[in-house]
Amino acid sequence: PSIPGGAAHSFHRDGFIFDSGPSFHMGLSDRDDGNAPNALKVVLDLLGEPLPCAAYDGWTCYFPEGQFNVKANAEAYHAEIERVGGAEACEQFKKFEATLKPLGE
């Protein structure tokens, strides 16, 4: 579609509603250790407000350069980066992940 996106934009087609913006909120479900990695989830838990969430393992992004299949699995995600950007891009992303890892611990 030629409708601009945005964090809170959607459009209707054939009875369906499509979110065209990056409204992705990671960590709203509890982890195996019972702790939520998302601050919004922590606040909602403290208030006793449940938030039903749908989990999914991937989605597709469309860019002028082509299609990128985002995966919620590190190995598959790295393989997709390598497919689209080459081995050097994948290595750069892995270094970026290693740099960010301490922030999530």
Side-chain angles (χ1 to χ4, degrees):
S2 60
I3 300 171
H9 181 75
S10 64
F11 62 94
H12 298 245
R13 181 165 295 151
D14 298 326
F16 295 95
I17 301 172
F18 295 89
D19 178 8
S20 60
S23 299
F24 173 75
H25 301 283
M26 186 172 122
L28 290 176
S29 299
D30 287 332
R31 297 186 308 201
D32 291 340
D33 63 5
N35 295 312
N38 183 294
L40 174 60
K41 173 74 167 136
V42 172
V43 170
L44 291 172
D45 286 349
L46 288 171
L47 295 173
E49 294 289 335
L51 180 65
C53 296
Y56 47 92
D57 66 355
W59 61 96
T60 302
C61 298
Y62 297 94
F63 299 101
E65 297 83 3
Q67 179 176 317
F68 184 84
N69 300 306
V70 180
K71 302 291 181 191
N73 169 284
E75 288 182 26
Y77 194 78
H78 294 155
E80 186 66 3
I81 291 173
E82 189 164 339
R83 181 188 72 79
V84 173
E88 184 178 348
C90 188
E91 287 306 312
Q92 289 175 355
F93 185 77
K94 287 178 181 179
K95 288 179 184 176
F96 177 62
E97 283 182 312
T99 301
L100 293 180
K101 187 174 181 177
L103 298 175
E105 295 176 345

